[in-house]
């Protein structure tokens, strides 16, 4: 490999990096196991808005029996505390295995989040390749900061955050299996891979991005190599191999085994998996109205638009896939078992800052090797696998409804002026909109980062709360005064803010409940009755999956709903506006992404008028 000949100076940087990581890791606290009775009481409180009194009373008896002194709950809690003392993080590995690696649904739409970024100022392939060269150089610059330990430690509320996920972003890939997947990471600093994968017209290329002395290629060198790749990929490949990775995980796991029986296929697949990241150079898509453009672009990043568009330009198992279209659209698709939103946002912020800088590096006069095209041998079995994957992906894409919009009446500055939390305020608006569409509240989860703790991933922030339900029911009631509605809104926002703080501090309920359940399974016990109760099924049937992805740019994230009759709502609050994306499945007659989007816009407007009534 090219990086095996790294100069001593760079090797010493890698040694420094290891020392810095070790020192930083010790400064981040271990994740606590919340008190059992606290979690059980908060679980019952979370059920109150969702259950009728008689069902709640039934569940209360089950929960009390589980948590009684000397009972099953206490025994499982004791084992969790032991596990916490002897593991890096008592829940993260279990969570990744349970939530991601054992999930058999396709990664496309169901799991991988997409981030669509503001359109760039080019409209043809020439501008596409110039920008892609800058993008690649920016990502490599960020990787150099991570590898050398120069990436600054991030903080929240004065507390250092765990930085362990950053090195895992590069040269990693999810590997399909018949029963569960696993993640493999090839990014060893001294002998890590030196190439990225570039895919255009369904054809994959290995592009070495480092010189023999370990220095990264300059932008002009990268641009010259991308031109070479373009010259080798004029026609669209008949067989879009990347679409295989969009299949149901069990199906793809079987096809993967068949694919790797051939030596050529195995070498090509391994080079894709080992690559630092993937760059997808997408072909033009049909022009569309400005109103629908953001929704179309989000869909393109998320799934590629289908088998007759750019879906063959994806390898959904890859941790990082940057997408650049010929019309100036671009974004990032990432695999969730290895990556979370906040580290991805940090990476994108760095790339955006890098793209503002002029290229001052002169290209050395060194001939570069031709990028290597990756070939696949396709027998009748693989061809059949491809045909089925194409059919299934098109069905999934046609079933997904995506609506993106920019709410421009106000942003987080207005909410802060009211001395309220912008995130909690938006959460109340989302619940109000859902209630107006469906005449009920539902189990909903927002995401809280647990990076304040060593190896921490995420926990859920649950809504609705009792306070939120009281406000929602009162808001459209003309008999309730405006002053009373304002007070109820403040109480709802404050209640949600308290839940947010609890989750951020490692005192959320969902990861703890999951840990108790998995501890019982690990001990060979029957699943405790508390988790077999219909109330638990209702409370974890997330009809609203939400996510705030604050970024320094007008980006929008999107992902598919967690359940067939649910929605996914993502938002990026800026100072004076908020970007939203809403997804739902067309197969469900009850859900409608556009209707919820229109209702959410109206609900936000109505909340503004509550504080600023028009005469």
């Amino acid at each position: 490999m090219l990086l095996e000949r790294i100069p001593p100076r760079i090797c010493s940087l890698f040694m420094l990096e290891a020392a810095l990581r070790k020192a930083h890791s010790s400064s981040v606290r271990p994740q606590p196991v919340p008190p059992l009775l606290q979690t059980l009481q908060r679980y019952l409180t979370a059920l109150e808005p969702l259950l009728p009194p008689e069902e709640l009373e039934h569940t209360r008896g089950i929960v009390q029996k589980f948590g009684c002194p000397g009972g099953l709950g206490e025994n499982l809690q004791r084992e969790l505390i032991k596990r916490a003392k002897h593991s890096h993080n008592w829940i993260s590995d279990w969570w990744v295995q349970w939530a991601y690696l054992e999930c058999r649904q396709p990664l496309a739409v169901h799991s991988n989040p997409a981030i669509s970024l503001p359109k760039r100022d080019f409209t043809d392939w020439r501008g596409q390749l110039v920008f892609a060269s800058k993008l690649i150089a920016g990502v490599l610059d960020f990787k150099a900061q991570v590898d050398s330990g120069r990436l600054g430690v991030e903080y929240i509320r004065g507390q250092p955050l765990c930085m362990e996920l950053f090195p895992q972003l590069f040269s990693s890939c999810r590997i399909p299996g018949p029963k569960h997947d696993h993640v493999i990471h090839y990014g060893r600093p001294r002998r890590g891979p030196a190439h990225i994968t570039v895919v255009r017209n369904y054809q994959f290329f290995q592009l070495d991005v480092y010189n023999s002395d370990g220095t990264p290629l300059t932008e002009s060198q990268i641009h010259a190599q991308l031109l070479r790749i373009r010259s080798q990929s004029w026609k669209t490949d008949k067989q879009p191999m990347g679409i295989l990775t969009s299949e149901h995980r069990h199906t793809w796991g079987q096809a993967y085994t068949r694919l790797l029986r051939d030596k050529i296929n195995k070498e090509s697949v391994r080079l894709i998996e080992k690559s630092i990241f993937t760059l997808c150079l997408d072909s033009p898509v049909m022009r569309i109205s400005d109103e629908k453009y953001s929704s179309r672009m989000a869909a393109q990043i998320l799934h590629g638009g289908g088998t007759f568009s750019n879906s063959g330009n994806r390898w959904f198992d890859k941790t990082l896939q940057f997408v650049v279209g010929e019309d100036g659209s671009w974004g990032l698709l990432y695999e969730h078992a290895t990556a979370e939103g906040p580290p991805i946002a940090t990476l994108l912020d760095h790339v955006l800052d890098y793209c503002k800088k002029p290229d001052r590096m002169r290209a050395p006069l060194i001939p570069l090797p031709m990028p290597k095209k990756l070939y696949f041998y396709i027998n009748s079995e693989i061809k059949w696998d491809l045909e089925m994957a194409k059919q299934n992906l098109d069905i999934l894409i046609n079933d997904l409804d995506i609506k993106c919009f920019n709410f421009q009446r106000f942003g987080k500055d207005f909410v802060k002026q009211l001395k309220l939390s912008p995130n909690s305020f938006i959460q109340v608006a989302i619940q109000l909109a859902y209630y107006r569409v469906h005449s009920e509240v539902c189990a909903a989860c927002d995401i809280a980062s647990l990076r304040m703790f060593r190896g921490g991933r995420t926990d859920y922030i649950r809504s609705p709360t009792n306070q939120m339900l009281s406000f929602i029911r009162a808001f459209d009631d003309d008999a309730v005064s405006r002053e009373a509605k304002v007070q109820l809104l403040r109480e709802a926002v404050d209640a949600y803010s308290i839940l947010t703080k609890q989750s951020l501090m490692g005192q959320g309920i969902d990861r703890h409940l999951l840990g108790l359940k998995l501890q019982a399974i690990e001990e060979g016990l029957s699943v405790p009755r508390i988790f077999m109760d219909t109330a638990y099924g209702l409370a974890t049937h997330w009809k609203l999956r939400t996510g705030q992805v604050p970024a320094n740019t007008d980006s929008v994230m999107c992902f598919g709903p967690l359940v067939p009759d649910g929605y996914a709502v993502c938002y990026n609050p800026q100072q004076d506006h908020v970007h939203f994306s809403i997804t739902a499945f067309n197969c469900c007659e009850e859900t409608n992404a556009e209707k919820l989007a229109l209702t959410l816009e109206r609900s936000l407007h109505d909340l503004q008028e509550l504080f600023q009534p028009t005469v």
Side-chain angles (χ1 to χ4, degrees), residues 262-279:
D262 180 83
K263 186 179 179 182
I264 294 173
N265 294 343
K266 187 172 184 178
E267 181 186 6
S268 295
V269 169
R270 288 288 183 261
L271 284 168
I272 294 170
E273 293 170 349
K274 289 181 178 181
S275 64
I276 298 168
F277 59 89
T278 295
L279 172 72

Side-chain angles (χ1 to χ4, degrees), residues 553-572:
T553 186
D554 287 321
S555 59
V556 61
M557 178 181 277
C558 68
F559 35 63
L562 283 175
V563 294
D565 56 343
Y567 298 92
V569 181
C570 200
Y571 50 97
N572 176 10

Side-chain angles (χ1 to χ4, degrees), residues 62-351:
I62 294 174
V63 170
Q64 287 173 347
K65 185 176 180 181
F66 178 77
C68 68
L72 177 58
E74 265 198 6
N75 294 333
L76 296 175
Q77 174 79 356
R78 192 179 306 114
E79 294 304 312
L80 279 188
I81 292 170
K82 284 183 189 175
R83 177 182 171 88
K85 288 178 180 176
H86 298 98
S87 61
H88 188 65
N89 184 293
W90 63 272
I91 189 61
S92 287
D93 288 346
W94 267 351
W95 165 249
V96 170
Q97 187 71 26
W98 178 84
Y100 300 120
L101 302 181
E102 291 183 5
C103 181
R104 301 287 80 197
Q105 287 184 309
L107 297 187
V109 174
H110 291 290
S111 183
N112 290 8
I115 302 176
S116 178
L117 287 122
K119 190 176 180 181
R120 308 297 296 194
D121 59 350
F122 58 84
T123 55
D124 61 12
W125 66 267
R126 293 174 181 83
Q128 177 191 34
L129 297 192
V130 169
F131 174 68
S133 305
K134 192 92 177 175
L135 171 64
I136 292 169
V139 179
L140 294 178
D141 186 66
F142 182 81
K143 183 178 183 296
Q145 288 197 10
V146 173
D147 289 344
S148 65
R150 289 181 290 116
L151 184 66
V153 174
E154 296 177 325
Y155 289 82
I156 183 171
R157 300 177 183 181
Q159 296 292 323
L161 300 181
C162 181
M163 305 292 283
E164 291 177 5
L165 277 184
F166 285 99
Q168 305 298 316
L169 297 178
F170 303 104
S171 302
S172 58
C173 194
R174 182 159 161 175
I175 310 297
K179 293 184 179 179
H180 62 82
D181 297 353
H182 68 278
V183 173
I184 191 161
H185 179 60
Y186 294 95
R188 289 186 294 272
R190 290 188 63 183
R191 299 195 176 190
H195 70 279
I196 68 169
T197 309
V198 179
V199 53
R200 179 176 182 269
N201 282 338
Y202 308 165
Q203 296 165 67
F204 290 80
F205 294 84
Q206 174 190 353
L207 172 58
D208 290 330
V209 289
Y210 292 94
N211 294 299
S212 57
D213 63 356
T215 58
L217 299 189
T218 64
E219 288 173 39
S220 54
Q221 284 180 307
I222 295 169
H223 183 251
Q225 294 294 70
L226 293 181
L227 286 170
R228 284 172 143 184
I229 287 172
R230 179 178 168 81
S231 70
Q232 293 184 73
S233 56
W234 284 107
K235 292 183 179 179
T236 302
D237 203 310
K238 291 180 180 177
Q239 302 297 345
M241 295 302 295
I243 286 180
L244 283 175
T245 66
S246 71
E247 264 285 22
H248 183 280
R249 300 308 291 175
H250 176 73
T251 306
W252 168 220
Q254 292 179 324
Y256 182 86
T257 302
R258 289 190 285 270
L259 187 66
L260 264 60
R261 287 175 188 155
D262 180 83
K263 186 179 179 182
I264 294 173
N265 294 343
K266 187 172 184 178
E267 181 186 6
S268 295
V269 169
R270 288 288 183 261
L271 284 168
I272 294 170
E273 293 170 349
K274 289 181 178 181
S275 64
I276 298 168
F277 59 89
T278 295
L279 172 72
C280 312
L281 295 172
D282 277 8
S283 300
V285 296
M286 186 177 66
R287 292 186 179 277
I288 198 165
S289 66
D290 290 344
E291 181 190 355
K292 296 182 179 179
Y293 178 81
S294 62
S295 300
R296 166 66 68 84
M297 286 307 102
Q300 277 289 317
I301 308 298
L302 185 65
H303 50 58
T307 57
F308 294 101
S309 188
N310 289 296
S311 292
N313 282 358
R314 305 286 184 271
W315 195 268
F316 290 100
D317 292 1
K318 196 75 186 129
T319 301
L320 291 179
Q321 295 189 92
F322 292 90
V323 180
V324 181
E326 287 189 19
D327 64 347
S329 62
W330 74 291
L332 170 66
L333 183 69
Y334 66 92
E335 198 284 303
H336 224 330
T338 307
E340 297 288 0
I344 293 293
T346 301
L347 164 61
L348 286 174
D349 285 344
H350 181 92
V351 170

